[in-house]
Amino acid sequence: MFSRSKSITALLLVSIWSSCAFCAEAGANLNDPCVVNKLIGRGVNIGNSLESPKEGDWDVTLQEEYFQLIKDAGFNSIRLPVRWDSHAMEKAPYTIDPNFFARVDWAIKNAMSRNLVITINMHNYYDFFKDPNGHKERFLSIWQQIAERYKDYPNMLLFEAINEPQDNLKGVPAWNAMLKEWLPVVRKSNPNRILVIGSANFNSFYEVKALDVPKDDRKIIVTFHYYMPNKFTHQGASWTPDSDKYLGMKWGTDQEKRAIARDFKVVAKWGQENGRPIYLGEFGVYYKADANSRFQWTKTVADTAAEYGFSMTYWEFCHTNFGIYDPKTKTWNKQLVEALIPSKQ
């Protein structure tokens, strides 16, 4: 069983390495986080799929055609949120379900075979957020398994520690302390992997400057999320308190656009001072917002991120809430795609 598994993995890696030949031909140094960050470019999250309690629970089931659609639309990368804790043993050794692992393998293969950079993370581990110390051993064990499984994959695959630290893990000291424990676990088997580390307090743009990233580990990309102002981007969203009060709120004044540039400048300044490439991992507007305002906000965020040299992945691909593609009608929201990938590029 073990030897058969290793054989399958070897065949998969041969396929992946072959598909990544374009990087070598183009002279791309996949050990350089700045180069890899440029390869991430403009991407999209495939959300509400593998980070749901069970795939399909939130109306999105991964299809092979999605990867090709994303590639053909002109996107460079995928961020794949993954809810590992729903597929791992509750007690030591916290073994991850091999069938679920195989499903993630499949997604990675489909992305990389199309020359799409892919970031996998740990998403929606709510018990860990509520009790970081109680779940730390399990969190680190799950990551040790992930790191071991993908240690021979090229740096077209990135590991992101966890999505949006919150509850009892959202504070800067708690999050920085947890990162110090996470990094050695992953680095043991992946000394040259490009890792993605986000800021505290839901990956707040303002908390980037408080990140304690080891100065001697240069193979790191720093990420943040942006949904400001939240009253506009989440108007009508059922999980956001009082959001219905803001239905009909519009966006697009010069002052509002300058606010985005001001916020991004905070992150860019820290990145420049610390020599860290910056990755805008999530941004988007809930579908109930005014269509033109939604377009203006999305375009302004994407364009401003590009001006500052940030890579970006929009939230998200095909769920009703934020999606840019409708899998039922098999049509794109052309306005939003144009906002994310201007035709001039």
Side-chain angles (χ1 to χ4, degrees), residues 52-247:
S52 62
K54 181 181 178 183
E55 186 179 6
D57 284 355
W58 293 349
D59 302 323
V60 178
T61 300
L62 292 178
Q63 306 293 330
E64 185 171 352
E65 67 181 28
Y66 292 172
F67 297 89
Q68 192 62 45
L69 284 165
I70 289 168
K71 177 67 176 180
D72 290 345
F75 291 102
N76 311 112
S77 61
I78 287 169
R79 181 172 179 261
L80 185 66
V82 184
R83 193 168 187 164
W84 297 96
D85 72 294
S86 291
H87 303 276
M89 293 170 57
E90 292 290 335
K91 297 181 179 179
Y94 313 110
T95 305
I96 297 170
D97 178 359
N99 291 324
F100 186 72
F101 242 148
R103 184 61 169 162
V104 178
D105 293 348
W106 174 88
I108 293 170
K109 175 186 175 183
N110 273 289
M112 297 180 70
S113 65
R114 291 167 174 84
N115 293 329
L116 292 165
V117 178
I118 180 167
T119 300
I120 59 171
N121 72 359
M122 188 173 292
H123 216 96
N124 294 342
Y125 193 169
Y126 298 119
D127 289 339
F128 179 50
F129 294 142
K130 292 175 183 176
D131 183 11
N133 289 329
H135 282 261
K136 179 174 66 175
E137 180 182 305
R138 186 168 184 252
F139 166 73
L140 294 176
S141 175
I142 291 172
W143 262 116
Q144 182 180 22
Q145 294 173 67
I146 297 167
E148 284 285 345
R149 188 175 185 97
Y150 300 120
K151 64 183 179 181
D152 294 323
Y153 282 50
N155 266 336
M156 293 282 285
L157 170 66
L158 287 74
F159 299 161
E160 179 182 348
I162 201 164
N163 180 72
E164 297 186 347
Q166 54 197 269
D167 292 337
N168 291 317
L169 196 60
K170 77 175 184 179
V172 170
W175 180 229
N176 280 335
M178 191 62 68
L179 283 174
K180 288 183 179 179
E181 301 215 36
W182 175 77
L183 273 166
V185 169
V186 176
R187 283 286 178 239
K188 184 176 181 180
S189 56
N190 289 256
N192 295 310
R193 175 75 49 200
I194 304 299
L195 304 179
V196 178
I197 292 177
S199 48
N201 194 13
F202 293 86
N203 294 145
S204 165
F205 81 91
Y206 193 73
E207 298 293 1
V208 167
K209 65 179 185 290
L211 264 177
D212 185 8
V213 184
K215 289 182 171 55
D216 60 346
D217 191 336
R218 305 313 302 176
K219 299 183 186 301
I220 290 173
I221 293 173
V222 169
T223 189
F224 74 104
H225 294 176
Y226 195 80
Y227 292 99
M228 302 293 289
N230 192 262
K231 293 176 182 178
F232 167 71
T233 63
H234 283 67
Q235 57 186 281
S238 61
W239 64 90
T240 304
D242 301 321
S243 64
D244 283 350
K245 293 196 307 184
Y246 302 102
L247 283 169

Side-chain angles (χ1 to χ4, degrees), residues 310-322:
F310 302 165
S311 62
M312 67 194 86
T313 44
Y314 174 80
W315 187 271
E316 46 79 38
F317 176 57
C318 68
H319 192 276
T320 303
N321 291 347
F322 290 83

Side-chain angles (χ1 to χ4, degrees), residues 322-335:
F322 290 83
I324 53 173
Y325 179 78
D326 186 337
K328 294 179 180 178
T329 62
K330 296 187 181 296
T331 57
W332 290 93
N333 182 321
K334 294 182 180 179
Q335 191 179 41

